Amino acid sequence: MFFIIKKRSISIFFTGILFIGLSAGAYNLALHPAMKDWVEEKVVINKIDTDRKIVALTFDDGPELKNTAVLLDILKKHNAKATFFLMGAKAEKYPMLVKRIAAEGHEIGNHSYSHPDFNKKNKEAIINEITKTDEIIYKLTGQKPYLFRPPGGYLSYALVDYTKQNNLTIAYWTYQQDSKDWRTGVKASRIASHIVKHIQPGQIIILHDGCPNGLETAKAMDILIPKLRSEGYEFVTMSELIKSGNK
Ligand SMILES: [Zn+2]
């Protein structure tokens, strides 16, 4: 009897763990207990309140040699502006792509130098990751990023303190608009249909040109942009989106 009860409570325990895991996956905006307060304070931006059909396409983890070049060609073909959250280490590797992103009118945000989880880093390491990347972007484009996107979405008090003091905005994304495009094997058509299905004014759409599946992400834009335009949507950079939000 004792054994049976124990076995049962173990299985309840594991069901609980599984449920917590699934909840964290589905509601990753709650990764940090203070997330709700930071969103209310507008320290962290994950969407904009607006009735206008405007959204921001955002691309992470690049630049990557082929994927980013193909993506830029597609954005140019459709005359759509986007925001690129670049990693400092890759920006150093592909400086011409960084220059091209800026020259073609897209916004550049900071996505750290080496993509560590910031919840496991001390303040000094966080500052170093951000400032090193800011300097690389500034040297290549003459622009200092105003947006920072935390790698993996991990937030910490040290990061929030630093961004508040340095006039940086933490650029999150709208959780319904995470198509998991970075997963190897996810096709362009599926990425596009996920986004079209969940579209709402003021959303920040997260995508990844810097991952191995990034060519499918780029191709998805060739389907997505004309489709959303036919529904009346416009594509703006994330800073423009933030500026046009209702106060
Ligand atoms: Zn990333």
Side-chain angles (χ1 to χ4, degrees), residues 60-62 85 87 111-112 115 149-153 173 206-208 211:
D60 289 9
D61 304 336
F85 289 98
M87 280 173 58
H111 193 41
S112 83
H115 211 280
R149 175 163 285 167
W173 58 91
I206 186 170
L207 292 152
H208 301 79
C211 290

Side-chain angles (χ1 to χ4, degrees), residues 5 14 22 24 27 31 50 87 98 106 139 145 148-149 167 185 187 191 193 202 219 229 232 243-245 247:
I5 290 166
F14 280 110
L22 288 172
Y27 297 100
L31 268 176
T50 180
M87 280 173 58
V98 180
H106 304 292
K139 266 188 202 156
F148 175 76
R149 175 163 285 167
N167 216 13
K187 294 287 172 215
I191 297 167
S193 65
K219 288 182 198 161
R229 282 228 174 102
K243 272 185 229 149
S244 37
K247 292 285 169 298

Side-chain angles (χ1 to χ4, degrees), residues 88-247:
K90 290 191 185 174
E92 265 178 346
K93 201 171 164 192
Y94 303 116
M96 294 313 288
L97 279 171
V98 180
K99 289 182 180 185
R100 186 179 163 198
I101 292 168
E104 294 182 2
H106 304 292
E107 180 171 18
I108 294 179
N110 184 327
H111 193 41
S112 83
Y113 183 80
S114 62
H115 211 280
D117 291 348
F118 273 24
N119 58 338
K120 294 176 190 145
K121 294 278 164 193
N122 65 25
K123 192 160 187 174
E124 200 191 342
I126 286 173
I127 294 171
N128 188 39
E129 284 274 339
I130 298 176
T131 52
K132 203 171 164 187
T133 304
D134 268 354
E135 280 164 24
I136 294 162
I137 294 168
Y138 183 77
K139 266 188 202 156
L140 292 169
T141 66
Q143 295 170 28
K144 189 192 171 292
Y146 147 79
L147 300 170
F148 175 76
R149 175 163 285 167
Y154 290 105
L155 299 170
S156 69
Y157 289 106
L159 170 66
V160 168
D161 283 350
Y162 177 80
T163 55
K164 276 182 179 173
Q165 285 157 15
N166 290 276
N167 216 13
L168 267 177
T169 296
I170 299 180
Y172 232 81
W173 58 91
T174 309
Y175 83 92
Q176 294 92 336
Q177 283 300 4
D178 184 357
S179 62
K180 309 283 180 202
D181 65 310
W182 51 270
R183 284 186 182 154
T184 305
V186 178
K187 294 287 172 215
S189 55
R190 204 174 130 199
I191 297 167
S193 65
H194 176 100
I195 297 168
V196 170
K197 190 176 161 194
H198 296 95
I199 201 74
Q200 294 276 326
Q203 286 179 333
I204 297 154
I205 299 163
I206 186 170
L207 292 152
H208 301 79
D209 61 321
C211 290
N213 203 52
L215 212 50
E216 291 299 317
T217 299
K219 288 182 198 161
M221 298 305 104
D222 222 2
I223 307 167
L224 179 77
I225 295 169
K227 173 72 184 143
L228 290 184
R229 282 228 174 102
S230 75
E231 293 182 15
Y233 277 92
E234 284 173 56
F235 303 94
V236 296
T237 64
M238 191 161 164
S239 287
E240 284 169 342
L241 187 76
I242 293 170
K243 272 185 229 149
S244 37
N246 298 337
K247 292 285 169 298

